[in-house]
């Protein structure tokens, strides 16, 4: 006995047709733009291999990891390492240090590139504008190790330029890097110096995309330069600024490890010890991989929550966000 499949309903036919049309359009697009797909395949593979695949190993935080047994063969430990971290009084000091340092970097580093970009956009001399842009952009290409070395030499108690300048006015030399209270200002100032020029380029690109007719209309209406900045330039770069702000808040707990670790010394650990440096010491130096993974996973979850919350707030208040 031969059975026949029941006929497809109207909605099913529409879905089949739309699916076939989608595949046909995708194949046509791939044949036409295969060079672009090949170009974008490289970063996609990089992110898949070095960003997304390692996420599966975060399960170490819930296991009593043993190198011989491997990630999946190690015994389950549940929330033991999270409880151990939360019960450590020092852990919450590290969370506070990380949050305060990241918040200071975000608060002081976020507006400076905007001010620099607007100022450069108002400069009429092309030579001066290009010179300032090059001078402020160049530090971004200096490695963190070199920046820290320059900072240490500049702030040296004996030969540092900062103390030599203070000595001119009769002020006694200060050991800046040994003072826990001065670690955060030093970190923030060095970060502003290194990243302001790069961030200003993004805002300059956003300023270049503003419709020139808006400036012409403001000029016809008799607006001053300050009024044009307030009512044309700033609203024009606001979407870009909000995206950068959301990304910055989303990385509040993921502040860079290298600079903090290299600026550390036994005298300033009270403020310089943050979660990334503590995770490095626990995981690699003490070989407590499960404890380090638990702290790192906790850090990542906090970043994710902050990113989602700030994106929702930015979307509702300004209409701009990541999605």
């Amino acid at each position: 006995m031969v059975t026949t499949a029941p006929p497809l309903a109207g909605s099913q036919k529409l879905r089949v047709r739309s699916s076939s049309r989608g595949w046909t359009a995708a194949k046509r697009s791939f044949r036409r733009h295969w060079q672009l797909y090949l170009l974008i395949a490289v970063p996609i593979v990089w992110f898949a291999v070095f960003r997304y695949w390692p996420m599966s190993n975060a399960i170490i935080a819930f296991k009593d990891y043993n190198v011989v047994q491997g990630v999946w063969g190690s015994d389950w430990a549940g929330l033991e390492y999270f409880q151990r971290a939360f019960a450590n009084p020092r852990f919450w000091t590290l969370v506070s240090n990380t949050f305060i340092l990241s918040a200071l970097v975000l608060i002081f580093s976020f507006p400076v590139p905007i001010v620099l970009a607007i100022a450069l956009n108002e400069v009429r001399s092309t030579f001066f504008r290009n010179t300032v842009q090059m001078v402020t952009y160049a530090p971004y290409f200096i490695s963190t190790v070199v920046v820290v070395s320059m900072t240490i030499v500049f702030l040296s108690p004996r030969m540092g330029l900062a103390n030599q300048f203070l000595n001119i006015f009769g002020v006694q030399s200060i050991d800046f890097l040994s003072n826990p209270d001065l670690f955060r200002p030093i970190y923030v100032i060095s970060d502003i110096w290194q990243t302001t020029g790069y961030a200003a380029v993004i805002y300059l690109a956003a300023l270049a995309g503003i419709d020139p007719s808006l400036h012409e209309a403001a000029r016809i209406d008799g607006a001053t330069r300050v009024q044009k900045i307030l009512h044309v330039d700033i609203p024009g770069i606001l979407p870009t600024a909000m995206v950068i702000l959301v990304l910055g808040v989303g990385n509040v707990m993921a502040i860079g490890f290298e600079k903090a670790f290299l600026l550390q010394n036994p005298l300033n650990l009270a403020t310089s010890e943050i979660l990334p440096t503590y995770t490095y010491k626990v995981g690699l130096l003490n070989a407590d991989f499960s404890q380090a993974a638990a702290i790192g996973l906790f850090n990542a979850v906090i970043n994710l929550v902050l990113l989602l919350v700030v994106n929702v707030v930015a979307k509702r208040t300004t209409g701009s966000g990541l999605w």
Side-chain angles (χ1 to χ4, degrees):
M1 181 177 179
V2 180
T3 59
T4 58
L8 295 175
S11 59
Q12 292 178 331
K13 291 181 180 179
L14 290 176
R15 285 197 295 268
V16 171
R17 290 177 182 175
S18 61
S19 177
S20 61
R21 290 175 183 173
W23 278 108
T24 303
K27 292 178 182 178
R28 188 184 302 113
S29 176
F30 181 79
R31 286 195 299 267
R32 183 178 301 176
H33 308 291
W34 65 270
Q35 299 93 338
L36 298 178
Y37 286 104
L38 183 62
L39 184 65
I40 200 175
V42 176
I44 289 177
V45 171
W46 186 89
F47 273 100
V49 173
F50 294 102
R51 294 291 184 179
Y52 290 101
W53 174 251
M55 289 183 184
S56 61
N57 293 330
I59 197 173
I60 294 176
F62 303 95
K63 289 195 169 189
D64 188 9
Y65 177 68
N66 186 293
V67 178
V68 177
Q69 295 176 337
V71 176
W72 303 102
S74 300
D75 298 331
W76 281 97
L79 300 177
E80 175 185 349
Y81 291 99
F82 291 94
Q83 295 172 352
R84 185 185 302 178
F86 297 156
N88 186 355
R90 189 184 178 193
F91 176 77
W92 298 108
T93 302
L94 299 177
V95 173
S96 176
N97 288 344
T98 306
F99 182 81
I100 293 175
L101 184 60
S102 300
L104 290 174
V105 170
L106 182 63
I107 291 171
F108 290 100
S109 298
F110 176 71
V112 175
I114 299 177
V115 175
L116 177 62
I118 293 176
L120 291 176
N121 190 57
E122 294 296 321
V123 172
R124 295 292 176 261
S125 174
T126 304
F127 174 78
F128 179 78
R129 181 173 62 250
N130 292 340
T131 302
V132 173
Q133 187 173 349
M134 180 189 67
V135 171
T136 56
Y137 187 68
Y140 181 77
F141 296 98
I142 303 176
S143 69
T144 304
V145 176
V146 176
V147 171
V148 172
S149 300
M150 294 170 60
T151 303
I152 294 174
V153 172
F154 182 78
L155 299 177
S156 173
R158 295 183 179 180
M159 304 299 296
L161 292 178
N163 279 303
Q164 289 184 10
F165 178 78
L166 293 176
N167 292 337
I168 295 175
F169 297 95
V171 180
Q172 189 176 3
S173 297
I174 302 173
D175 192 357
F176 292 95
L177 294 177
S178 297
N179 190 340
D181 297 330
L182 296 178
F183 172 80
R184 289 165 182 162
I186 292 172
Y187 189 101
V188 172
I189 292 172
S190 64
D191 187 83
I192 292 175
W193 176 76
Q194 187 176 13
T195 62
T196 294
Y198 174 78
V201 172
I202 301 175
Y203 293 113
L204 284 171
L207 288 169
I210 297 176
D211 190 353
S213 62
L214 297 176
H215 288 281
E216 295 176 2
R219 191 179 303 111
I220 293 173
D221 292 338
T224 62
R225 180 172 293 186
V226 175
Q227 289 174 332
K228 286 189 294 183
I229 292 174
L230 294 176
H231 300 288
V232 178
D233 291 339
I234 293 181
I237 65 175
L238 184 60
T240 303
M242 292 309 301
V243 170
I244 295 177
L245 178 62
V246 171
L247 291 175
V249 175
N251 289 321
V252 159
M253 300 297 291
I255 192 169
F257 155 81
E258 296 89 353
K259 186 181 293 184
F261 181 74
L262 294 173
L263 287 174
Q264 269 186 6
N265 59 61
L267 299 177
N268 64 15
L269 280 178
T271 55
S272 65
E273 188 75 293
I274 57 177
L275 284 177
T277 59
Y278 181 73
T279 303
Y280 164 76
K281 295 174 182 178
V282 170
L284 294 183
L285 300 185
N286 297 338
D288 194 350
F289 302 108
S290 297
Q291 184 68 74
I295 298 173
L297 185 59
F298 168 80
N299 201 12
V301 171
I302 296 299
N303 281 328
L304 178 61
V305 172
L306 289 174
L307 178 65
L308 296 176
V309 172
V310 174
N311 184 73
V312 171
V313 173
K315 193 72 173 179
R316 292 183 177 180
T317 55
T318 65
S320 302
L322 293 179
W323 61 84

